[in-house]
Amino acid sequence: AYSITIKVQDKKRNNIKAYIPLEVKLTDSEGKALPGSGFYSTVDGILTINETAASNMSAGKVKIQVKCLASGITETETFNVK
């Protein structure tokens, strides 16, 4: 199982106290879409996605791409699956 927390912050690194629409794309090391991908909204600038990794999930980097649908800004991070 894993948990992903996304924070939408202002320039002073304060969470934006609003509902903010996001598109989240999770892909495995082979580029396949993972459960948890979809459209979400933050509550007070925070979104937490809880997922369970499949037992046959490919080892390697998982890419998390988050697009703020209000601003159009996209950020990408990765984490490793062993």
Side-chain angles (χ1 to χ4, degrees):
Y2 58 91
S3 179
I4 299 168
T5 300
I6 299 164
K7 296 179 181 181
V8 179
Q9 300 177 324
D10 62 19
K11 290 181 182 180
K12 294 181 181 179
R13 299 187 56 91
N14 297 311
N15 294 347
I16 296 175
K17 303 287 186 192
Y19 294 98
I20 300 172
L22 302 175
E23 180 181 11
V24 179
K25 294 180 182 177
L26 304 171
T27 52
D28 68 11
S29 61
E30 298 174 354
K32 296 178 188 171
L34 296 173
S37 296
F39 294 89
Y40 295 90
S41 177
T42 66
V43 176
D44 290 333
I46 301 172
L47 169 66
T48 299
I49 301 171
N50 296 306
E51 278 298 328
T52 301
S55 60
N56 64 345
M57 187 172 170
S58 302
K61 291 189 184 272
V62 171
K63 183 168 83 169
I64 307 163
Q65 184 178 39
V66 180
K67 180 177 183 180
C68 176
L69 299 176
S71 68
I73 295 171
T74 301
E75 295 287 339
T76 303
E77 291 289 336
T78 60
F79 66 91
N80 286 315
V81 173
K82 296 181 180 184

